[in-house]
Amino acid sequence: MLYARSPLLATRGLVTKPHVRHQWCRFYSQPFTSGDTVIIRPANDHTDNFHLSKPLDSSGGIVNTRNGPINHDQIIGRHAREIITNSKGASFRLLQASLPEYVVLTKRLVTPIYPAHANLIASLLDIHASSAEEHISDQKLEILEAGTGHGALSLYLARAIHAANPSPPPLTPWKKATPPRKKATLDVPETTADPTPETKEPPEDAVESASNEDDTTLKAYKSTRSAILHTLDISARHSKHARSIVRNFRRGIYYSNVDFHVGDVSDFLATQARSKPWLSAVILDMPSANLRIPVLAKQMLPDAKLLIFNPSVTQIAECVQIIGQQKLPFFLERVIELPLGPNGGREWDVRVARIRKPAGEVATEEKGSGLLGWLGRLFGQKRVNEIVERQETAFVCRPKAGDRIPVGGFVGVWTRKRDNEGQ
Ligand SMILES: C[S@@+](CC[C@H](N)C(=O)[O-])C[C@H]1O[C@@H](n2cnc3c(N)ncnc32)[C@H](O)[C@@H]1O
């Protein structure tokens, strides 16, 4: 039996259509159609020698492989795992791209957060989205992400909040945008890594007419959402590309959960002009993230999460420092090292510690924890002795266990304190 998730939506006729109930099925049981992206692998090759197609385009789209071209027309109408043969007699297997594969294989202008890291970061937000009729308050779940970059983390965050929203109306079918005219200046991508050797168009050509959708079909729906990801980038070009990345994943399944904005954090917050705190979470993956923390505090709800992703632990330390110096209302939950491998992260100890005069030989407020030994290895024993002598403060910045060299980046997780909460 069909049902409306909320009376409000039912009266607007937004959720009682047949497409609502088994929306997930269409990606697993239906043939590929225009706008889908498809992994193409040589039929008898189980190595990583594969391509991700651009959104399938029945009007002349081509995938160029080492073994000759494949027309998009040959793929449209086929199912996942089917084998096709191109004009040169080479056989290829067609596969559905998973979210991690899609994130890694899509053309990029900036380096995305890797799938394992994005997954971990999304789970650190501890979101438990439920359907609209189960909501216990009118408070929307609004998340701010800066910068949008490739849209990789945006996809994981949009997936995390998806269940809180009513089913969106069908999106306008994908259509290829007219290629932009060549610019006079060189636009050099932040990364040259390009795992998809399709050369027909520059990446931004894949941007569909998303702004039209925002103006018409999606507008009424958007006001009914319980959970929204606001994603913000200073670069209009990055934002536009990320929009196409989110729009073209699985026929835009998560697209309507996301609002794309261009600008800096402070400007964006100023345009919101909200009288009360409204953000349930903030994720910063951008340069000088520490400098944005002061403007965020007033906009964040009590218990809201602040996650900051940085390539180095000292940048996380700068965040710890500014929060301490300006007495900002954030409680540091944890600092995690994100390794390059596919599995979780390692916890780090990051804080400012007062180094006390030893009671006996050498001691600190961390007596017995090995802090002085660690500082000695970092700065040399002479400098450590000076710190101890002057009772200075010093940064504690070390893995909670072991001595491994850090790789892959760090994420700091803070919680916004209640206004009357102590230190
Ligand atoms: C490393 S990328 C983010 C990658 C993204 N998290 C992902 O998963 O795809 C960093 C982005 O921050 C943006 N950026 C730089 N300064 C910014 C600012 N002041 N405000 C907003 N975004 C900014 C850059 O344009 C760039 O797109």
Side-chain angles (χ1 to χ4, degrees):
M1 198 175 94
L2 293 179
Y3 62 95
R5 282 184 176 175
S6 92
L8 175 68
L9 295 174
T11 56
R12 295 183 187 191
L14 283 170
V15 293
T16 50
K17 294 181 186 150
H19 73 270
V20 169
R21 286 186 68 211
H22 299 296
Q23 207 170 24
W24 62 271
C25 291
R26 55 187 182 159
F27 308 115
Y28 298 99
S29 58
Q30 290 191 2
F32 295 119
T33 188
S34 290
D36 287 346
T37 49
V38 182
I39 289 187
I40 294 149
R41 199 176 70 187
N44 296 316
D45 185 348
H46 291 271
T47 63
D48 287 348
N49 178 21
F50 49 71
H51 305 276
L52 181 73
S53 75
K54 287 219 166 74
L56 296 178
D57 174 11
S58 57
S59 60
I62 289 175
V63 183
N64 288 310
T65 77
R66 269 184 231 154
N67 298 323
I70 303 169
N71 295 330
H72 285 192
D73 268 349
Q74 285 182 273
I75 303 171
I76 291 171
R78 303 297 188 125
H79 284 85
R81 296 179 302 286
E82 274 193 53
I83 291 182
I84 57 166
T85 305
N86 72 358
S87 55
K88 293 201 165 178
S91 297
F92 301 90
R93 194 180 289 278
L94 307 175
L95 295 166
Q96 184 80 263
S98 66
L99 178 53
E101 286 166 333
Y102 179 81
V103 161
V104 169
L105 293 173
T106 35
K107 285 214 181 220
R108 58 178 71 166
L109 303 183
V110 294
T111 306
I113 285 188
Y114 290 113
H117 299 171
N119 219 4
L120 177 66
I121 289 172
S123 74
L124 285 169
L125 286 180
D126 203 25
I127 295 170
H128 304 281
S130 59
S131 62
E133 76 265 25
E134 290 168 26
H135 293 161
I136 51 171
S137 88
D138 289 339
Q139 181 73 55
K140 287 184 196 264
L141 175 76
E142 294 191 71
I143 300 176
L144 172 62
E145 178 201 21
T148 310
H150 185 66
L153 183 57
S154 313
L155 271 167
Y156 280 84
L157 298 172
R159 180 173 74 167
I161 63 173
H162 189 64
N165 283 330
S167 294
L171 295 174
T172 320
W174 181 90
K175 58 177 184 287
K176 201 179 77 167
T178 321
R181 275 199 275 156
K182 281 237 178 300
K183 289 181 192 160
T185 52
L186 261 184
D187 236 353
V188 183
E190 194 175 292
T191 170
T192 51
D194 178 11
T196 52
E198 266 192 291
T199 52
K200 201 178 157 217
E201 307 154 336
E204 48 280 56
D205 288 6
V207 176
E208 80 310 320
S209 52
S211 52
N212 293 342
E213 287 173 349
D214 284 353
D215 289 344
T216 55
T217 326
L218 282 184
K219 205 170 177 187
Y221 167 79
K222 282 194 164 184
S223 65
T224 68
R225 293 173 299 177
S226 298
I228 303 161
L229 171 65
H230 299 275
T231 185
L232 176 71
D233 203 292
I234 197 87
S235 158
R237 184 166 172 261
H238 295 175
S239 180
K240 185 179 171 194
H241 182 57
R243 184 190 280 252
S244 79
I245 294 293
V246 176
R247 171 61 179 85
N248 292 329
F249 180 70
R250 301 279 169 96
R251 305 180 191 175
I253 182 173
Y254 301 127
Y255 182 66
S256 54
N257 300 324
V258 188
D259 288 356
F260 293 85
H261 308 271
V262 175
D264 184 47
V265 175
S266 321
D267 302 335
F268 170 73
L269 293 176
T271 61
Q272 291 296 305
R274 307 214 197 176
S275 54
K276 289 186 187 158
W278 57 286
L279 285 168
S280 300
V282 175
I283 299 107
L284 303 179
D285 176 13
M286 53 175 279
S288 307
N290 58 324
L291 303 181
R292 272 74 192 179
I293 303 175
V295 293
L296 289 167
K298 278 196 180 140
Q299 312 284 334
M300 292 176 68
L301 289 159
D303 295 323
K305 296 274 185 213
L306 170 64
L307 266 70
I308 300 185
F309 175 81
N310 277 141
S312 84
V313 75
T314 46
Q315 289 165 306
I316 297 285
E318 284 164 11
C319 299
V320 173
Q321 188 174 40
I322 203 163
I323 288 170
Q325 278 172 348
Q326 300 194 15
K327 297 195 172 14
L328 300 172
F330 290 102
F331 175 74
L332 179 60
E333 301 274 358
R334 58 213 297 211
V335 177
I336 294 173
E337 178 195 340
L338 303 174
L340 284 178
N343 301 317
R346 184 162 58 140
E347 293 223 19
W348 274 61
D349 188 9
V350 180
R351 70 210 138 80
V352 180
R354 184 164 298 283
I355 311 298
R356 296 223 181 106
K357 187 94 174 157
E361 266 191 358
V362 278
T364 69
E365 64 174 11
E366 304 292 304
K367 196 173 178 185
S369 69
L371 176 64
L372 286 185
W374 178 259
L375 289 172
R377 285 199 293 281
L378 272 183
F379 303 117
Q381 202 53 51
K382 190 162 168 261
R383 171 75 186 117
V384 172
N385 289 344
E386 281 169 19
I387 291 172
V388 170
E389 210 46 53
R390 293 188 203 148
Q391 298 192 36
E392 288 177 30
T393 56
F395 264 129
V396 177
C397 240
R398 58 179 175 164
K400 281 201 165 161
D403 275 323
R404 200 157 53 86
I405 307 286
V407 285
F410 294 83
V411 60
V413 184
W414 287 263
T415 305
R416 166 71 162 90
K417 292 180 187 172
R418 293 181 305 279
D419 284 335
N420 56 359
E421 197 173 319
Q423 286 303 302

